[in-house]
Amino acid sequence: MAYEAPINDMAFTLQAVAGLPKLEGLPGFEAYDADLIAPILEEAGKLARDVLAPLNQSGDAAGAQLTEDGVKAAPGFAEAYAQFREGGWMGLSVPEEWGGQGLPKALALAVMEMIHAANMSFGLCPLLSFGAIEALLHHGTDAQKQTYLPNLVAGNWTGTMNLTEPQAGSDVGALKTKAVPNEDGSYAISGQKIFITWGDHDIAENIIHLVLARLPDAPAGSRGVSLFLVPKFLVNEDGSLGARNSLKCIGLEKKIGIHASPTCVMEYDGAKGWLIGEANKGLACMFTMMNSARLNVGLEGVAVGEAAYQTAFEYAQERKQGKVQGVDGPAPILHHADVRRTLTTMRARVAAARAICYACGVAADLADAATDEQARHAAKLREDLLTPIAKAWSTDMGVEVASLGLQIHGGMGFMNETLAAQLYRDARIAPIYEGTNGIQAIDLVGRKLSGTNGESMRLILGDIDATIREARATNEPQLVQIADRLRAGADALREATDWMLTAMKERDQDKALAGATAYLALAGDVIGGHFLTKAAVAARSSDPASRARNLALAGFFAETALAEAPGRVPGITEGGQTFLEGSEALFGI
């Protein structure tokens, strides 16, 4: 696999679009200045290109293997992880007091985009560790932080999330894993978990499992769920590793993609664990992990989309077929207008999703670090609203773009040995991860929109209005035309938002939720178009190549995705109602 990180595009998006300069000088970011962006991205790009990308297809072919001694990672992965660990990449955005570098989350997201694009199976390992670190930072005791955070942040140990059980799926309230108190203050954890990403492996010294379980006297449902820290190897008082805990991987799932990422069935047989947070309040801890994972999974969509675009673009330059005026003999298919249109669709949607994810990262940091309470509140609203959109819109985009990349390869793309096929297979899990995209749509409508009585979306729409004014103020015909399309898209999103809020207030939840997925897709298109327009305006002061590139992407997106926005409102407001009225005839319910 050949992968070259689009460093200039990433740096431009961070600085000119996502708002990274807003963090300079804020508490907690004393170690950060803009001069760090280029060297960090360049070094991460080398790791992705030279170390991880060459292992992507070989790892897919070999896969992880379950042996009598536990799970063995695909060949080369342990050595690659050692380089990742030694580079300090795990702690990029973690506070310095725990061994991190105290840099912005959005910058760490850009680094993880490279890692996922080069090798998604590899990138899933640190993704889960990020969630464990977040949970301990927010909910762990001082002793737990001192014992586990330094090694997690250093990458010496990795982390997992153990939520899903065969009978429960996304309904964590139905889980049955038990936690029985021990006399020493620990708990005996017993039960089985499925779909545990990197649940066992041999690339790090220890694995710290965060496990949802029930106490003996816990109330039924989600109110009776607690979170426990369960290490693979117990940790002695001096920090050294002790005895093996009574847990193991008893099976590896056979998946359609991400073969080098071991997806484990984990069995806990009285394993020793410790409560994180309050008893029966595990959902709060879980959502801390989940929100971290959702943004990072959204970034997987961006990453796979970028890799699929690069792979398709390279193939389109090499594959010769058909006649084109001005080209002697068979022409590279890049000369065919439909192929160029497909590639432009891929690139524009990747750029939009990248901006959404990076902006969500900046909002998350501002929500913690802004010195003004009103600014923190506004940033938190933006973060909360953008998180389900970043996760769902970006991962749907990743699958779509990977499919388009396969299409450009034609029949060769359908062959398993091609990278295009692997990227398509790998991408498909992301819309399912960390709460399916249907759940993200429910979260967007039920919590993030209705929970704030529309304040969060009004804030975003205000940002969009400001971008429209900036584009119009340039008096450049193409930017004015883009602004007109963005205005029509924003009006459509406003109309759909007003309808959705009314439906939720009238407690007609089925009608609202029937249109939730279509609403999230519209919101992603309009917000993505807003960021692309913002990029085109900002690029006016850049070099001619950057200016032309950003203008072309914004213009194409405006005349395709944004042009369709007004016609999609009835699918939200009326389509769901029509569907519900026809449910009995269709499904007998």
Side-chain angles (χ1 to χ4, degrees):
M1 175 185 178
Y3 168 72
E4 194 71 45
I7 291 174
N8 290 339
D9 289 349
M10 291 174 157
F12 179 79
T13 302
L14 286 168
Q15 287 287 84
V17 182
L20 196 59
K22 296 176 184 176
L23 298 176
E24 291 187 45
L26 291 181
F29 295 104
E30 293 85 359
Y32 167 71
D33 67 67
D35 290 339
L36 292 171
I37 295 175
I40 286 173
L41 295 184
E42 287 169 6
E43 287 303 310
K46 293 175 185 176
L47 176 71
R49 180 192 64 210
D50 300 335
V51 178
L52 300 179
L55 296 173
N56 196 27
Q57 288 181 273
S58 63
D60 179 68
Q65 303 295 325
L66 179 58
T67 72
E68 292 183 359
D69 297 324
V71 176
K72 303 296 182 184
F77 271 55
E79 294 79 6
Y81 185 80
Q83 293 190 52
F84 173 85
R85 183 188 68 242
E86 290 162 7
W89 298 111
M90 194 68 238
L92 206 63
S93 61
V94 179
E96 291 181 276
E97 65 177 301
W98 299 112
Q101 298 176 49
L103 297 176
K105 185 172 293 184
L107 184 54
L109 288 171
V111 169
M112 285 306 298
E113 179 192 331
M114 298 180 192
I115 290 168
H116 285 301
N119 195 321
M120 180 173 162
S121 286
F122 180 94
L124 282 163
C125 185
L127 186 154
L128 273 299
S129 296
F130 287 134
I133 289 169
E134 289 280 348
L136 283 170
L137 284 172
H138 287 86
H139 304 287
T141 64
D142 289 342
Q144 289 169 346
K145 292 176 183 179
Q146 294 289 345
T147 301
Y148 297 100
L149 275 178
N151 276 300
L152 282 169
V153 173
N156 299 327
W157 302 346
T158 65
T160 73
M161 293 191 295
N162 281 239
L163 313 181
T164 308
E165 298 181 8
Q167 80 290 342
S170 296
D171 182 11
V172 296
L175 65 84
K176 297 180 179 179
T177 298
K178 297 178 180 179
V180 178
N182 294 321
E183 292 182 359
D184 62 359
S186 66
Y187 295 81
I189 312 298
S190 300
Q192 191 177 106
K193 299 288 185 176
I194 62 172
F195 304 154
I196 308 307
T197 301
W198 284 90
D200 191 39
H201 58 78
D202 60 346
I203 70 173
E205 298 172 355
N206 201 3
I207 305 172
I208 309 305
H209 299 286
L210 300 190
V211 184
L212 285 181
R214 289 188 178 282
L215 294 167
D217 58 350
S222 59
R223 295 182 179 181
V225 173
S226 301
L227 183 67
F228 298 87
L229 186 155
V230 189
K232 177 179 178 178
F233 291 97
L234 299 175
V235 182
N236 298 321
E237 290 187 8
D238 63 359
S240 63
L241 296 183
R244 173 74 183 262
N245 211 346
S246 50
L247 60 93
K248 63 181 178 178
C249 170
I250 60 172
L252 289 180
E253 308 288 3
K254 294 178 174 60
K255 313 181 295 291
I256 66 171
I258 54 168
H259 293 150
S261 170
T263 305
C264 301
V265 179
M266 298 297 298
E267 184 176 76
Y268 295 85
D269 184 16
K272 182 169 283 193
W274 289 266
L275 181 68
I276 297 178
E278 296 182 43
N280 304 324
K281 296 293 179 70
L283 282 188
C285 304
M286 184 198 76
F287 275 115
T288 298
M289 294 188 293
M290 193 71 79
N291 281 333
S292 169
R294 284 173 174 173
L295 179 52
N296 276 283
V297 167
L299 199 72
E300 287 181 334
V302 179
V304 175
E306 175 65 36
Y309 167 75
Q310 290 191 22
T311 304
F313 180 56
E314 180 180 359
Y315 185 80
Q317 295 177 89
E318 297 174 352
R319 171 65 167 156
K320 293 182 178 181
Q321 183 173 302
K323 299 287 187 180
V324 173
Q325 187 175 0
V327 179
D328 293 332
I333 62 173
L334 182 62
H335 288 269
H336 296 296
D338 185 64
V339 171
R340 294 200 306 275
R341 177 186 175 86
T342 302
L343 287 167
T344 305
T345 300
M346 297 168 74
R347 190 165 186 179
R349 294 185 75 79
V350 168
R354 177 181 290 127
I356 289 172
C357 290
Y358 289 8
C360 188
V362 171
D365 279 338
L366 284 172
D368 289 333
T371 55
D372 175 73
E373 183 177 350
Q374 186 174 355
R376 289 195 300 274
H377 174 69
K380 183 61 177 172
L381 289 175
R382 286 186 178 90
E383 178 198 3
D384 287 348
L385 186 81
L386 288 176
T387 295
I389 297 171
K391 194 276 176 181
W393 194 87
S394 300
T395 55
D396 282 343
M397 178 281 301
V399 173
E400 175 194 355
V401 166
S403 179
L404 291 174
L406 192 151
Q407 188 76 13
I408 285 177
H409 283 72
M412 290 302 298
F414 202 63
M415 301 299 105
N416 255 335
E417 62 265 27
T418 63
L419 179 59
Q422 182 193 337
L423 292 172
Y424 184 50
R425 289 186 283 105
D426 287 351
R428 192 56 190 86
I429 186 58
I432 299 171
Y433 269 152
E434 314 309 338
T436 65
N437 285 357
I439 290 174
Q440 303 306 311
I442 293 170
D443 178 56
L444 175 64
V445 169
R447 289 192 182 95
K448 308 305 170 55
L449 182 67
S450 300
T452 65
N453 196 28
E455 182 185 0
S456 54
M457 185 59 81
R458 285 192 294 272
L459 194 66
I460 296 290
L461 286 166
D463 295 341
I464 296 172
D465 290 340
T467 296
I468 293 170
R469 289 192 298 270
E470 290 171 5
R472 287 186 183 281
T474 66
N475 290 320
E476 293 185 15
Q478 190 171 354
L479 279 171
V480 171
Q481 183 177 342
I482 292 170
D484 289 341
R485 290 297 194 192
L486 183 55
R487 167 55 63 205
D491 289 344
L493 183 55
R494 274 194 177 87
E495 181 182 350
T497 297
D498 290 343
W499 179 89
M500 194 66 72
L501 286 168
T502 299
M504 292 297 286
K505 285 179 182 176
E506 292 175 352
R507 300 188 181 282
D508 198 347
Q509 193 173 68
D510 277 353
K511 184 168 71 173
L513 296 185
T517 292
Y519 177 77
L520 187 149
L522 174 63
D525 280 357
V526 175
I527 295 170
H530 148 64
F531 284 128
L532 291 182
T533 305
K534 188 174 181 179
V537 173
R540 292 173 70 239
S541 58
S542 299
D543 62 274
S546 176
R547 176 174 179 157
R549 182 170 62 250
N550 282 285
L551 190 61
L553 291 176
F556 179 83
F557 196 88
E559 296 305 323
T560 52
L562 291 179
E564 296 175 354
R568 295 170 65 181
V569 176
I572 299 168
T573 61
E574 301 299 331
Q577 182 63 33
T578 303
F579 154 72
L580 289 172
E581 291 171 354
S583 288
E584 183 173 349
L586 289 170
F587 307 114
I589 57 175

